[in-house]
Amino acid sequence: MAAVVSLSRLSHSTQGALSTSRLSHHPLLFQRRSQICQDIGSISAIWISPVMDLQVKYLWGLTPVASASLEKVQMFPNMEKLSMRIGCSGSRERTFRVSAFISASAAEINFEHASSLKDIKVVTPICERPAVHITCLEDLLQWVRKAQQLAASVEQQFYDTDGGPDSSDLLRELDWLLDDSLAACCQKGRDSDAFSQLNNQTTSAHVLLRISIEELENQWVQRVKERRPFQYIVGCAHWRDLVLSVQEGVLIPRPETEQMIDLAEAAIMGNPSLAVGLWADLGTGSGAIAIALARLLPSPGSVLAVDMSETAVAVARRNVGHYALTDKVNVVHGSWFLSLEDQKGSLAGVISNPPYIPSANIAALQAEVGKHEPRTALDGGQDGMKDLRQICHGSALALRAGGFLALETNGGTQAEAVADLLRNMNSPVTCFQNIKIVPDFAGICRFVTAIHC
C-alpha cells in the first residue's frame, strides 16, 4: 500500500495506514459535443455530464417529454462555469454519448442487482444511475455549503489520529461526489444565456441528479462522521483505465497494485507463449487484476479469477461483464488453489494481491480501512505471511515450466521473506528461478516475481 503517481482521481484517504497520496489512471477523456435537435418546450439549454445514454420521462413537474428531441442542447466543454455555481471541480472525465434521457422514474429504479450467489446485491455506481431526481439548483447549492462546512470542521483531526483525510482531502472528494451525482443543469426560457444564468446567484435553474439531495446528505454524513470509504459512497473505484464497481465486502483496489499488470506485461514480452495460456488471479476482489490482465492477452489467453468471498465474486462478475470479458475471465468462488485442482502444472501465470497485513497491525489502520473494508482481505495472520505461504507452495504445483509468479507484499522484510521462501523451495528439485524483489513507484520493495523451473 504505497504512494504512486498516476493521472486522475485522488483516493488519498481510503487506502490504508501505510499509504500517502493516491491517484488512479483515468484515460477516458471528456469530449466536447454539440447537438442540434428539435422541440422541447420551455428548456433551452442543458448541461449533460459525460455518463451514458440518458432519458427522463418527466423534466418539469409531471409534464411528459414525448420524444428525445431538444430544441437546443449545449454541451459545456468543461465544468469551469458550473464550478463557479456549485463548487464542482470536474476532475473526473470520461467519454460519453447522449442520444436521449433514460426513460425511467425513481419508483421504477432498483440500483441493487441480484446475483446468482444467494441473491447478493451488487450496487450500481452513482455515476451509472439514470438522472431522475429534479431539484432547484439553489437547494443543491445550500446543501453543498453545508457539506463543505462539515468537511472543513475536520481540519487535521483524522490525519493526526491515523493518517486519514484532512479537510482538503474531503473537499476534493465532495467535488467528485457532485461530479458523479450531477447529470444536467436545465434552464427555463428559450432565449436565455445558459452560461451567464448559471453564474447568476438568482438563477431559476434546476438540476437533474442521479441521487436525491437527501441521499447525498446521508452519504456525505457517512463519509465524514463514520469514515466510510469514499469508493463505497460512490460505488466505484478508478484503477488504471478501469472504473470498477466496489461495495462493502469487497477490497478497494489500490493504485500500487496497478504495477502488477506492468510486471505481467513485461513477463509476456520476455516469453510470448505466456500470452495464450491460462492465468490465475487469486483473491480477485473487484476483479481489477483479472480484467486488466485479460485485456493484455490475445485469444486463447484467459484468466481464472478466484475469491472466497461471495460478495467479491458477485461484484467481480459484474465488472467482468461490464467490460465484455466473460469469454476471457471466469470468476469462481473458492479459496486459493482449491478451485484449480484440475489445472496443476498448466497455468501460464499466477498473480495475487493476498491479505498480508499482520493481525496485530489491523487496529492501527486508517478507520476507512480497518473499520470498513473486509478483514479477510487484509489480515495475513500473525506475521502477515499465512496466505503468501499457501500461494507460494500452491504455485509450485500449479505453474507450468516457464510460468510466471507475481505477488504483492507488505514490503520490506516481508518481501525478503517471500523471496527467501521461493528460493528454498528446492526439494526434491528447484521450483523457481529468476526470483526478484521489485520496488513500487514509491521505492518500497513491494512485489516478488519468479519464473517456474
Side-chain angles (χ1 to χ4, degrees):
M1 300 182 188
V4 59
V5 177
S6 306
L7 295 177
S8 183
R9 177 175 275 182
L10 185 70
S11 48
H12 175 104
S13 59
T14 61
Q15 306 303 329
L18 300 179
S19 68
T20 55
S21 64
R22 300 274 194 248
L23 289 157
S24 288
H25 294 282
H26 196 326
L28 304 179
L29 302 178
F30 183 75
Q31 298 179 351
R32 181 181 306 184
R33 180 177 299 183
S34 296
Q35 178 181 357
I36 304 299
C37 300
Q38 300 174 353
D39 183 33
I40 195 177
S42 62
I43 300 175
S44 68
I46 299 178
W47 176 87
I48 304 178
S49 74
V51 174
M52 36 187 71
D53 291 350
L54 300 174
Q55 293 178 334
V56 168
K57 228 179 224 184
Y58 307 105
L59 282 176
W60 299 103
L62 295 177
T63 304
V65 177
S67 71
S69 61
L70 306 178
E71 180 186 13
K72 182 200 254 179
V73 177
Q74 181 175 3
M75 304 303 297
F76 284 23
N78 56 57
M79 295 183 66
E80 181 178 357
K81 294 287 184 179
L82 197 57
S83 299
M84 299 171 66
R85 278 296 280 143
I86 67 172
C88 183
S89 69
S91 56
R92 283 230 354 232
E93 300 176 336
R94 60 181 80 85
T95 53
F96 66 98
R97 56 193 176 91
V98 178
S99 61
F101 284 95
I102 289 177
S103 179
S105 67
E108 297 171 329
I109 298 170
N110 180 2
F111 296 123
E112 295 183 338
H113 307 285
S115 77
S116 60
L117 294 171
K118 298 182 180 179
D119 294 328
I120 291 171
K121 302 298 183 181
V122 179
V123 179
T124 301
I126 291 175
C127 64
E128 296 182 13
R129 301 180 190 179
V132 296
H133 302 279
I134 304 171
T135 189
C136 175
L137 177 58
E138 187 55 40
D139 291 342
L140 177 61
L141 294 173
Q142 289 180 8
W143 176 79
V144 170
R145 289 189 283 268
K146 181 180 177 181
Q148 289 172 334
Q149 291 173 357
L150 181 59
S153 69
V154 171
E155 297 181 341
Q156 293 285 115
Q157 177 185 346
F158 298 161
Y159 181 81
D160 293 339
T161 300
D162 58 16
D166 60 20
S167 289
S168 63
D169 298 321
L170 291 171
L171 288 170
R172 188 182 299 112
E173 292 180 358
L174 177 60
D175 286 347
W176 291 330
L177 176 59
L178 288 167
D179 193 14
D180 280 6
S181 304
L182 181 63
C185 185
C186 308
Q187 179 64 46
K188 290 183 177 179
R190 287 178 179 270
D191 300 322
S192 60
D193 181 345
F195 282 102
S196 63
Q197 294 213 24
L198 284 173
N199 290 303
N200 182 348
Q201 293 298 320
T202 61
T203 181
S204 60
H206 285 65
V207 291
L208 292 171
L209 298 173
R210 297 186 181 87
I211 61 175
S212 66
I213 289 184
E214 292 75 19
E215 184 63 15
L216 277 172
E217 168 74 14
N218 178 56
Q219 296 288 352
W220 190 243
V221 168
Q222 289 182 36
R223 176 68 191 105
V224 180
K225 296 291 187 180
E226 301 175 18
R227 304 217 22 210
R228 186 179 175 215
F230 177 75
Q231 288 89 339
Y232 291 164
I233 296 294
V234 296
C236 66
H238 290 233
W239 195 84
R240 290 183 72 90
D241 56 346
L242 307 173
V243 182
L244 301 162
S245 293
V246 292
Q247 64 189 58
E248 273 80 0
V250 179
L251 187 74
I252 298 167
R254 270 55 174 174
E256 61 270 21
T257 307
E258 296 176 5
Q259 194 172 341
M260 299 191 79
I261 304 303
D262 300 327
L263 296 174
E265 186 173 20
I268 291 170
M269 291 178 65
N271 182 359
S273 69
L274 297 177
V276 293
L278 176 64
W279 292 64
D281 170 22
L282 303 181
T284 194
S286 64
I289 291 175
I291 292 169
L293 180 60
R295 301 206 300 178
L296 286 179
L297 305 178
S299 182
S302 60
V303 183
L304 278 170
V306 181
D307 206 290
M308 65 179 295
S309 164
E310 292 186 345
T311 301
V313 168
V315 170
R317 286 177 177 171
R318 193 264 188 195
N319 287 326
V320 168
H322 180 77
Y323 285 97
L325 289 170
T326 53
D327 60 331
K328 296 189 70 174
V329 180
N330 182 20
V331 184
V332 296
H333 180 238
S335 177
W336 304 136
F337 290 96
L338 293 181
S339 302
L340 308 176
E341 288 294 325
D342 56 344
Q343 302 297 335
K344 286 185 178 179
S346 65
L347 294 181
V350 171
I351 295 186
S352 183
N353 176 23
Y356 54 64
I357 299 174
S359 301
N361 294 352
I362 299 295
L365 296 174
Q366 285 180 13
E368 285 83 356
V369 179
K371 293 183 179 180
H372 294 277
E373 294 197 68
R375 181 163 184 144
T376 53
L378 301 169
D379 193 338
Q382 184 175 359
D383 61 356
M385 290 276 292
K386 180 186 71 173
D387 297 293
L388 285 164
R389 290 190 187 93
Q390 291 186 44
I391 295 170
C392 288
H393 288 290
S395 296
L397 298 175
L399 285 168
R400 72 189 195 195
F404 178 69
L405 172 65
L407 301 172
E408 183 173 322
T409 75
N410 205 22
T413 56
Q414 188 182 90
E416 295 172 0
V418 171
D420 287 341
L421 175 62
L422 294 173
R423 292 188 190 100
N424 292 328
M425 293 176 65
N426 53 12
S427 178
V429 296
T430 300
C431 293
F432 293 98
Q433 61 184 345
N434 296 337
I435 299 166
K436 299 178 182 178
I437 297 176
V438 181
D440 61 20
F441 292 126
I444 297 173
C445 294
R446 176 74 54 194
F447 309 102
V448 179
T449 64
I451 302 298
H452 195 271
C453 294

